[in-house]
Amino acid sequence: MVIVGSGPAAFTAAIYASRAGLQPLLVASSVEVGGELMNTTEVENFPGFPEGILGPELMTKFQAQAERFGTEVEVEDVVDLDLEGPVKRVRLGAGTVHECATVVFATGSAYRKLGLEEEERLSGHGLSWCATCDGFFFRGKTIAVVGGGDSAMEEATFLTRFAERVYVVHRRDTLRASHIMQQRAFDDPKITFVWNSEVTAVLGETAVTGVTLRDTATGEHSDLTLDGLFVAIGHDPRTHLVHGKVDLTSEGTIAVQGRSSRTSVDGVFAAGDVVDPHYRQAITAAGSGAVAALDAETYLSALASPVLTDEAEPSTVTSEDDVALASTT
Ligand code: NAP
């Protein structure tokens, strides 16, 4: 089994698969092992950590637990997948190709960013992409949410539980959000809409102190003083490696059958944010990773005969020619 990804879904799949004796190989990105939680500070809603835990620390624990049972972690980028037939091939950036009988695809989703230079620096310091994760830190504060879709309305409405005032900054004068979500936000006395405005700068050296807005109708600039900024302008599942190889939904996530993790291709399973356009929580991703490992295990035990070479472990070859030579039974 090869697991692609390194967030809560991928590592949970690895924990389950390795405890089942499948000796999975987990290919984490060469840029960052641990997924979106590596960009979070305190995680207070992951069960089992009543005092909270830092996002990166939580992911270190996920990895340690997976490795304890025999998961091998390779810090490399997957650049190509051959998913047809009983033997799947996973090609890495350095040229290595891993053969396996099953793939769990758990590459997550990326929050859309504003594209501003200061976004990276202030992330986790008043700038957030997740109200559920970070809203609690803004009790009695003045904050803004950028976006005009359901996510922005949901985040803004949720944040009024904590914040004193929530501005919704939207680049047009009509919302994309569903009627019911819009109405809920309009009816909330703590929410103020800032129309026809785009954020051109996030202010603050070590923490967010405000934003500079550009009026999209007049082109004029103005500053808005804030304690925090939430960006909710959508997110994109990371599916580029499987485009044209597995079926996607109309929302762009990988299509899975019912509540399972089974994709349109036999032996290929998907879990976490890459299949989930709505919940996108560490705990839901972890649960989905467990489902994928169990589904993969069922798939493997149903195979009539071994599909790999003589070795019990996935074979590793180093060039395309070698792949052609690798025999399968
Ligand atoms: P979305 O519907 O694509 O909306 C993104 C919003 O962000 C749009 O208003 C867009 O403006 C704005 N935007 C995009 N890029 C921007 C940029 N660079 N700068 C400023 N603004 C930008 O995304 P979403 O709200 O995340 O929703 C995604 C899907 O999940 C939708 O199908 C939604 O219905 C669903 N969802 C459902 C719920 C729920 O039912 N509880 C909750 C959340 C999400 P424009 O309008 O001008 O394009």
Side-chain angles (χ1 to χ4, degrees):
M1 177 189 291
V2 172
I3 299 166
V4 185
S6 62
F11 275 119
T12 305
I15 291 165
Y16 273 70
S18 51
R19 285 196 77 247
L22 297 176
Q23 295 178 284
L25 169 71
L26 182 147
V27 185
S29 149
S30 67
V31 179
E32 188 170 63
V33 182
E36 286 297 325
L37 280 185
M38 300 305 283
N39 303 320
T40 325
T41 49
E42 194 82 8
V43 179
E44 293 180 326
N45 55 8
F46 200 88
F49 299 94
E51 312 301 330
I53 182 166
L54 293 173
E57 196 185 335
L58 180 59
M59 291 322 299
T60 303
K61 287 180 183 290
F62 268 81
Q63 181 169 347
Q65 194 170 353
E67 288 177 331
R68 177 184 159 202
F69 297 110
T71 298
E72 187 187 332
V73 176
E74 191 159 349
V75 180
E76 249 290 12
D77 290 320
V78 173
V79 294
D80 193 26
L81 291 167
D82 175 3
L83 301 174
E84 288 303 317
V87 179
K88 322 291 181 196
R89 294 183 178 85
V90 180
R91 175 178 293 279
L92 307 188
T96 309
V97 177
H98 292 291
E99 290 188 337
C100 55
T102 180
V103 171
V104 172
F105 197 75
T107 48
S109 70
Y111 291 110
R112 276 186 209 137
K113 296 192 170 169
L114 293 167
L116 301 172
E117 172 268 315
E118 57 275 21
E119 250 170 316
E120 192 115 324
R121 176 168 50 86
L122 293 171
S123 172
H125 302 280
L127 178 57
S128 171
W129 281 262
C130 178
T132 323
C133 318
D134 298 329
F136 192 68
F137 302 116
F138 293 90
R139 269 171 300 175
K141 306 282 189 190
T142 297
I143 59 180
V145 175
V146 188
D150 278 339
S151 292
M153 296 311 108
E154 190 171 67
E155 303 259 289
T157 307
F158 176 78
L159 286 164
T160 58
R161 293 186 198 183
F162 312 102
E164 188 56 38
R165 171 132 316 277
V166 179
Y167 293 101
V168 173
V169 176
H170 183 39
R171 61 187 178 185
R172 296 185 294 126
D173 63 357
T174 52
L175 296 171
R176 180 179 296 276
S178 57
H179 178 72
I180 188 167
M181 306 277 276
Q182 293 193 21
Q183 201 54 51
R184 199 171 293 151
F186 287 146
D187 291 344
D188 197 314
K190 283 186 172 180
I191 296 179
T192 304
F193 282 84
V194 183
W195 301 109
N196 295 321
S197 296
E198 67 180 14
V199 176
T200 56
V202 186
L203 307 174
E205 276 309 310
T206 54
V208 171
T209 58
V211 288
T212 300
L213 299 176
R214 187 183 77 87
D215 188 311
T216 52
T218 65
E220 280 174 22
H221 285 83
S222 61
D223 286 352
L224 180 64
T225 301
L226 298 169
D227 302 303
L229 181 69
F230 286 79
V231 180
I233 59 175
H235 57 94
D236 300 305
R238 293 194 192 90
T239 53
H240 60 282
L241 285 169
V242 293
H243 275 176
K245 297 178 181 175
V246 302
D247 289 351
L248 303 181
T249 66
S250 57
E251 284 165 309
T253 50
I254 294 178
V256 288
Q257 297 163 28
R259 296 187 63 202
S260 81
S261 62
R262 289 191 301 273
T263 69
S264 55
V265 177
D266 267 358
V268 179
F269 303 88
D273 282 9
V274 82
V275 299
D276 172 16
H278 295 298
Y279 301 105
R280 304 197 307 273
Q281 301 298 301
I283 189 67
T284 52
S288 151
V291 168
L294 294 170
D295 287 343
E297 199 186 332
T298 306
Y299 169 81
L300 290 173
S301 32
L303 286 178
S305 57
V307 293
L308 292 173
T309 51
D310 294 342
E311 300 162 46
E313 293 174 46
S315 64
T316 300
V317 288
T318 49
S319 75
E320 231 161 324
D321 294 339
D322 290 341
V323 174
L325 291 171
S327 66
T328 56
T329 56

